[in-house]
Amino acid sequence: MVASSTTDIRSQALACRDAARQLAQLSASAKTDLLDAMAAALEADTDAILAANARDLAAATEKGIGTAMLDRLALNPQRLAGIAAALREVAALPDPVGQVTRDDVRPNGIRVQKVRVPLGVIAMIYEARPNVTADAAALCIKAGNGVILRGGSEAIHSNTAIAASLKRALREAGVADAALTLVEDLRRETMLALLQLNDVIDLAIPRGGEGLIRFVAEHARVPVIKHYKGVCHLYVDRAADPALALRLLVDGKCSRPSACNSLETLLVHADLAPSYLPLAAQALAERGVRVRADAVARQWLPDAEPASEEDYAAEYLDLIIAVRVVDDLEQALMHIQQYSSDHTEVIATEDAAAAEHFVHALRSAVVMVNASSRFSDGGELGLGAEIGISTTRLHAYGPMGLEALTVERFVVRGEGQTRA
Amino acid sequence: MVASSTTDIRSQALACRDAARQLAQLSASAKTDLLDAMAAALEADTDAILAANARDLAAATEKGIGTAMLDRLALNPQRLAGIAAALREVAALPDPVGQVTRDDVRPNGIRVQKVRVPLGVIAMIYEARPNVTADAAALCIKAGNGVILRGGSEAIHSNTAIAASLKRALREAGVADAALTLVEDLRRETMLALLQLNDVIDLAIPRGGEGLIRFVAEHARVPVIKHYKGVCHLYVDRAADPALALRLLVDGKCSRPSACNSLETLLVHADLAPSYLPLAAQALAERGVRVRADAVARQWLPDAEPASEEDYAAEYLDLIIAVRVVDDLEQALMHIQQYSSDHTEVIATEDAAAAEHFVHALRSAVVMVNASSRFSDGGELGLGAEIGISTTRLHAYGPMGLEALTVERFVVRGEGQTRA
């Protein structure tokens, strides 16, 4: 059935680009209606989608896939209703397309505006979660983009069923359904061919483990926005409020350890270590968090194992935390600069000058003062929804919302002005 | 002398990154002073720079290089004063670093700002013009970035002398002079090694001919902002003011034919062709412009040659223009969508609805109504100066000023808020 992956994927991508041009012309209200219709289509197709998901789950169980992965893959009526609700939330967001971000009249009288337009065609490369199929499609389409979805093989039946619903809604809105293209040919050479289409695809966003992201970054000729990992730091300054710093520690480490915005390393100012670390040890122990600490910190952390160099670079995504006592703010900054993944760093302090120095000295995507690292998320930061988190410094840096799926271009209006 | 290009270029880039971190911490006024000092250093070193340039010119003459290229390469006291003046203009521009582009308080009380930070390290890859060495360095440094300059071999002595002046100003300001790194090893494998350093270099900007840009885009693992070519269109609508449309044609084609924002194709509505094209023919003939036109247009263009498919795709950069008569606005849009280089498109019309449709339907980086394509330039659009023009839709689209050399990141301030 699949003849030449290179030819097929190129013609699919070209069809997506043509359809994207239709999407780019839709009014804000037409896109809102379209996304609401997509949500309704998912709800109407609940039985078919759950049946497809059952096939994926059966195959995954047969393969002996772990429970964590099975849980990521599993849909049920409640989860599907959640996906539909998320589409309606995206539908209700302000349309970024057409937003004027600059509006100047030049001395010669020409009026220069910068106006947001869609990027064009976005390729999402992702792993087992079928909700990404709907979430990513909704965000791309809301911003007027075509979307090419290349999910994991474990979720292929679920993804196909979800895409079929969403494509029906597109057709019923009079948009060519290639605007949402699900890649069903999951051969590696087809993904490689997709990643070479730099004359058709404007951006690729890989979402998943570091291996997937490195593979995409390694092989792509299309622009890629990467999120490698989140090694998030909490620095408890000499001037920290210990109770506040304890809340940030517990929330940052324990509220969802598998999230990339969870804390992985705690740095504590030497002056505060004797009073703070025993409290931290107790709070962490109560929640089953294992601690790996440097020799100084272990004086107040009786159950801690020694921390190695690797611990400071690790993204545990688990109930484990690395701890180090630092002499001062400068040493904390040096530690963070050395081990940072450019994701999120937090300072707990009541000293405004220390807070500003921390913010100014660090270049991570998100820098926080007296707030939990767990707020490093598109929804929490007010972006409405999030298509990914960029840890590279081009186009977008940090959580990416709808605006990150557009680009600003120039619109100039004159009355016949010339340059010469 | 040059042992291992791969090792050397990597250590040079790492030194540039370290120095860039110093630059990123400088205040706006410190950067202004630094750039003024760079301008003064160039003036103080006029004799040495002109002597170095004379060596480049002698070598180029010996190689039998064409006069256009010799002119691009040549410096004289006046041109060098112009370069110094351009540095002072960049010095006086507002600092983009620290600009707050979003400032929200979330319902839970956390304050979320988006704040511009430098990109980090920018590699400029360019050809014969030695002024780029100073211009690009000034813009990158003003935006707090380190810059790696890889110019053409024809200008190596001029570039080395200019870089030596600028580096002295950096040192005198207390900044490690690796913040400005001129690559003196011009072997192709060294450039290839440079373009692989995606863990050190945040952006590469090639400036020069299409061959250079394709080479960089082909081989780079670092992010690249590309500007392939400018096939700029002027569409003269049925409702155009003929005199205004004639001014835009003459200015767009003739004021500087070698510029990428010059017109390459003229499209004329069929209803206006009988009255407009004879005027156009005369104005173009008076200025020595050769015309290549379709059969319909040639009825009113006695001296025109037939236009081929290639003519509509050509960036002439010369006193040549392609002309076509179109049935209506839709046909003009289809022509532009087919042949556009995504650079700049202009409509001449007094019909507001036609103008808005033109603007909305096209996705080029710059779209203009009743203004010359020659305004598609960072300075003319109010960006102060320009480091390049992007014709790809990520990060920046169209003329790139200082803002395009930064990225927005998040700064969050709370009073101990947690998520769970």
Side-chain angles (χ1 to χ4, degrees), chain A residues 43-367:
Chain A
E43 287 169 339
D45 294 345
T46 295
D47 291 349
I49 293 168
L50 293 182
N53 187 245
R55 289 177 65 189
D56 286 331
L57 288 171
T61 309
E62 201 164 295
K63 271 202 224 160
I65 273 169
T67 46
M69 175 112 152
L70 275 180
D71 182 59
R72 284 202 290 275
L73 185 56
L75 294 177
N76 55 40
Q78 209 171 358
R79 285 191 176 181
L80 202 52
I83 294 174
L87 291 202
R88 291 195 175 94
E89 278 174 33
V90 173
L93 291 175
D95 189 349
V97 175
Q99 281 177 1
V100 176
T101 59
R102 185 188 176 109
D103 195 345
D104 265 351
V105 176
R106 304 290 307 153
N108 62 3
I110 62 170
R111 180 174 180 186
V112 178
Q113 293 184 316
K114 288 191 84 171
V115 181
R116 289 194 188 281
V117 290
L119 286 176
V121 174
I122 297 168
M124 292 290 307
I125 321 279
Y126 54 104
E127 291 178 332
R129 291 178 198 271
N131 63 304
V132 174
T133 304
D135 291 351
L139 285 163
C140 290
I141 289 171
K142 177 78 183 184
N145 298 288
V147 60
I148 298 176
L149 299 158
R150 198 284 189 189
S153 57
E154 316 78 18
I156 185 67
H157 297 105
S158 313
N159 289 342
T160 305
I162 291 170
S165 286
L166 303 179
K167 283 165 93 68
R168 194 176 69 240
L170 279 164
R171 288 193 301 274
E172 287 173 1
V175 178
D177 68 1
L180 187 165
T181 295
L182 181 76
V183 179
E184 298 187 43
D185 170 3
L186 298 184
R187 290 178 301 173
R188 172 177 275 231
E189 64 257 40
T190 305
M191 174 150 68
L192 287 172
L194 177 72
L195 294 172
Q196 305 315 303
L197 300 174
N198 58 344
D199 58 334
V200 188
I201 293 172
D202 297 284
L203 174 64
I205 305 177
R207 264 177 69 170
E210 207 178 334
L212 173 76
I213 293 161
R214 291 211 182 269
F215 179 85
V216 170
E218 189 90 13
H219 294 95
R221 292 275 302 281
V222 305
V224 177
I225 287 188
K226 296 177 276 281
H227 164 191
Y228 283 127
K229 56 180 182 174
V231 181
C232 305
H233 296 82
L234 168 63
Y235 165 60
V236 179
D237 186 42
R238 172 168 47 186
D241 169 345
L244 183 157
L246 209 59
R247 286 204 305 278
L248 298 190
L249 173 65
V250 168
D251 191 66
K253 182 68 251 182
C254 308
S255 61
R256 195 169 153 218
S258 64
C260 62
N261 57 13
S262 291
L263 291 176
E264 304 295 5
T265 298
L266 168 68
L267 302 171
V268 181
H269 191 287
D271 292 358
L272 209 69
S275 58
Y276 181 76
L277 281 177
L279 300 172
Q282 190 187 340
L284 293 169
E286 279 168 8
R287 289 160 182 88
V289 179
R290 282 174 290 153
V291 178
R292 302 192 185 157
D294 74 329
V296 180
R298 286 205 307 280
Q299 298 175 66
W300 301 286
L301 298 168
D303 299 331
E305 290 171 52
S308 69
E309 193 74 8
E310 287 73 46
D311 284 306
Y312 293 128
E315 185 188 33
Y316 295 119
L317 299 175
D318 200 352
L319 288 174
I320 309 173
I321 194 163
V323 179
R324 185 176 169 192
V325 171
V326 292
D327 293 339
D328 53 20
L329 173 54
E330 286 308 321
Q331 203 185 6
L333 292 172
M334 280 173 58
H335 179 102
I336 294 171
Q337 277 156 356
Q338 183 172 356
Y339 296 105
S340 173
S341 58
D342 287 337
H343 193 295
T344 299
E345 327 298 352
V346 181
I347 184 172
T349 189
E350 303 300 308
D351 174 348
E356 290 320 298
H357 184 54
F358 185 87
V359 166
H360 196 62
L362 293 176
R363 301 199 319 150
S364 298
V366 185
V367 183

Side-chain angles (χ1 to χ4, degrees), chain B residues 47-393:
Chain B
D47 292 347
I49 294 168
L50 293 182
N53 186 245
R55 289 177 65 189
D56 286 332
L57 287 171
T61 309
E62 201 164 301
K63 272 202 224 163
I65 273 168
T67 46
M69 176 113 151
L70 275 181
D71 182 59
R72 283 203 291 275
L73 185 56
L75 294 176
N76 55 38
Q78 209 172 357
R79 284 190 176 181
L80 202 54
I83 294 174
L87 292 201
R88 291 197 175 93
E89 279 174 32
V90 173
L93 291 174
D95 189 349
V97 174
Q99 280 176 1
V100 176
T101 59
R102 185 188 176 110
D103 195 344
D104 265 352
V105 177
R106 304 289 306 152
N108 62 4
I110 62 171
R111 181 175 180 185
V112 179
Q113 292 183 316
K114 288 191 87 172
V115 182
R116 289 195 188 281
V117 289
L119 287 176
V121 174
I122 297 168
M124 293 290 307
I125 321 279
Y126 54 104
E127 291 178 332
R129 292 179 197 272
N131 63 304
V132 175
T133 304
D135 292 350
L139 285 163
C140 290
I141 289 171
K142 177 79 182 185
N145 299 287
V147 61
I148 298 175
L149 298 158
R150 199 282 188 191
S153 57
E154 316 77 19
I156 184 67
H157 298 106
S158 313
N159 290 341
T160 304
I162 291 171
S165 286
L166 303 179
K167 283 164 93 66
R168 192 176 71 239
L170 278 164
R171 288 193 301 273
E172 287 172 3
V175 177
D177 69 1
L180 186 164
T181 295
L182 180 76
V183 179
E184 297 187 43
D185 170 5
L186 299 183
R187 290 177 299 173
R188 172 177 274 232
E189 64 257 41
T190 304
M191 174 151 64
L192 287 172
L194 176 72
L195 294 172
Q196 305 313 304
L197 300 175
N198 58 345
D199 57 335
V200 187
I201 293 172
D202 296 283
L203 174 63
I205 305 177
R207 266 178 68 171
E210 209 178 332
L212 174 76
I213 293 162
R214 290 211 183 268
F215 179 84
V216 170
E218 189 90 13
H219 293 97
R221 291 276 301 281
V222 305
V224 177
I225 288 188
K226 295 177 276 281
H227 165 192
Y228 284 127
K229 56 180 181 174
V231 181
C232 305
H233 297 81
L234 168 63
Y235 166 59
V236 179
D237 186 43
R238 173 168 47 187
D241 169 344
L244 183 158
L246 209 58
R247 287 206 303 278
L248 299 190
L249 173 65
V250 169
D251 190 66
K253 183 68 251 181
C254 308
S255 62
R256 196 169 154 216
S258 65
C260 63
N261 57 14
S262 290
L263 291 177
E264 305 294 4
T265 299
L266 169 68
L267 303 171
V268 181
H269 191 287
D271 291 359
L272 210 68
S275 58
Y276 181 75
L277 282 177
L279 299 172
Q282 190 188 340
L284 293 170
E286 279 169 7
R287 289 162 182 86
V289 179
R290 283 173 290 153
V291 177
R292 302 189 185 160
D294 74 330
V296 181
R298 287 205 307 279
Q299 298 175 65
W300 301 285
L301 297 168
D303 299 331
E305 292 171 52
S308 69
E309 191 75 8
E310 288 72 48
D311 285 306
Y312 294 128
E315 185 187 33
Y316 296 119
L317 299 175
D318 201 352
L319 288 174
I320 309 173
I321 194 163
V323 179
R324 186 178 168 190
V325 171
V326 293
D327 294 339
D328 52 20
L329 173 54
E330 287 308 320
Q331 203 185 4
L333 292 171
M334 279 172 60
H335 179 100
I336 294 172
Q337 277 157 356
Q338 184 173 353
Y339 295 104
S340 173
S341 59
D342 288 336
H343 194 295
T344 299
E345 328 297 352
V346 180
I347 184 172
T349 189
E350 303 300 308
D351 174 349
E356 289 319 299
H357 184 53
F358 185 87
V359 167
H360 196 62
L362 292 177
R363 301 198 319 150
S364 298
V366 185
V367 184
M368 299 187 172
V369 180
N370 295 335
S372 172
S373 66
R374 296 272 295 113
F375 292 123
S376 190
D377 165 290
E380 297 294 325
L381 295 180
L383 306 184
E386 170 190 298
I387 196 149
I389 297 183
S390 169
T391 59
T392 47
R393 267 177 287 273

